[in-house]
Amino acid sequence: MKRKTLAVCAVALAVAVGITTAAACSRNSDSGTGPALPGQPSAAAKPLKQTQWFSENFGTPLVATTDVTPKTVEQAKDVRGTVLPQDKSPLDGPVMWQRVRCAALPFSTTDGPTKTRADGIYGGYARTTLGAALAALQMGNWGATVGSNDAVPTVIAPSDRGRLAPQLPAYERGKNIDNPSCLAQQKNIIRPSLWKADPISDTVTRVQFWFPPKPGEAQGGTFDYSVIWQEGDWYLTEQTATDVLAIGGRVPRAGQYTTAPVGWSQW
């Protein structure tokens, strides 16, 4: 990514379309939820895309612009996206990429999400590194997905919400956010291709993700965030919430320009 492009991406992460957190290489399951490995399906399960449920809920997929595998971004008939059945049905990888309003976000059939907290914000993630990664990436993209002012504070951990929510900048709902073509009309449809998760305490996990270069660019970008486990779900830590919500006029942390990291996992 060019320097200007990466800076724009960092801002978009907090207030518009496109980028966010991700992560997960190994399991760190404290609650016993989820399978033994991130996104590993049951051998007997039928691929989700071959089910009648999928054909009834999804239409023609979009195609990512950058070098990622798979390149498909599925389009739920509901512009807000659709929770996948948590039955370990096989996907094209650990997750299925799905358009949620103006963003491309990952969903699993093993580690959540399992519900919506508010209009455009999901919840119900497994207490695993994959669950932490899904939560971080989805909540960090709040600016591209939320449909109401009340939804914004739901990315903040409950213990911090009462103190931080009054400091939130005025919410401006995207004019194009309910247009089913919001993501398709973007010049580039991008998503991270690599991710990594490192538990740093019993409740906090650092998550990192790498976006491959856009066409014509030499380097991608690495972003670094963290999530905290509270009241049975993952939320953004105070530091990350302050960054992506631009509390106190803060500009979101910029990513680092890098080639593909070694040893990280593919989404």
Side-chain angles (χ1 to χ4, degrees):
M1 290 185 178
K2 297 178 181 177
R3 189 166 301 276
K4 180 179 179 181
T5 300
L6 196 56
V8 171
C9 286
V11 175
L13 173 61
V15 295
V17 294
I19 296 182
T20 284
T21 321
C25 300
S26 60
R27 299 305 280 192
N28 180 42
S29 178
D30 302 315
S31 63
T33 58
L37 294 172
Q40 181 174 335
S42 168
K46 185 177 183 179
L48 184 65
K49 292 185 181 180
Q50 296 180 17
T51 64
Q52 182 177 349
W53 177 87
F54 184 85
S55 63
E56 291 175 348
N57 286 278
F58 289 84
T60 304
L62 301 174
V63 178
T65 308
T66 53
D67 185 15
V68 292
T69 302
K71 294 180 76 69
T72 53
V73 177
E74 302 297 339
Q75 295 196 93
K77 294 179 180 178
D78 187 336
V79 71
R80 297 168 297 181
T82 298
V83 168
L84 303 184
Q86 300 299 292
D87 59 2
K88 303 181 183 180
S89 294
L91 304 170
D92 293 336
V95 300
M96 186 186 84
W97 291 89
Q98 185 179 155
R99 177 210 64 199
V100 179
R101 287 195 163 114
C102 300
L105 300 180
F107 288 72
S108 83
T109 57
T110 57
D111 291 46
T114 62
K115 62 182 181 181
T116 56
R117 292 180 191 162
D119 186 356
I121 300 296
Y122 286 90
Y125 302 96
R127 193 173 186 178
T128 60
T129 49
L130 179 59
L134 292 164
L137 186 55
Q138 291 194 348
M139 288 186 289
N141 267 289
W142 72 274
T145 66
V146 297
S148 72
N149 186 70
D150 293 339
V152 181
T154 63
V155 307
I156 304 173
S159 63
D160 300 323
R161 194 174 299 160
R163 176 168 44 84
L164 297 180
Q167 304 176 44
L168 289 170
Y171 170 69
E172 295 184 11
R173 193 175 191 276
K175 295 179 180 179
N176 201 36
I177 203 164
D178 283 324
N179 180 354
S181 298
C182 183
L183 183 61
Q185 291 173 352
Q186 294 177 28
K187 181 179 180 181
N188 289 295
I189 299 176
I190 61 176
R191 69 165 179 84
S193 60
L194 300 174
W195 42 273
K196 186 176 185 290
D198 295 296
I200 59 178
S201 76
D202 289 342
T203 57
V204 177
T205 295
R206 176 192 182 190
V207 292
Q208 297 170 273
F209 54 100
W210 184 77
F211 283 79
K214 293 179 181 178
E217 298 181 351
Q219 290 185 311
T222 299
F223 291 79
D224 190 339
Y225 294 93
S226 57
V227 290
I228 185 168
W229 183 262
Q230 284 189 11
E231 298 186 3
D233 213 345
W234 291 108
Y235 298 87
L236 301 181
T237 62
E238 179 176 352
Q239 182 179 31
T240 296
T242 298
D243 281 342
V244 304
L245 296 174
I247 294 174
R250 181 180 296 189
V251 176
R253 276 174 289 170
Q256 295 182 338
Y257 300 91
T258 63
T259 55
V262 176
W264 292 22
S265 296
Q266 288 190 345
W267 274 106

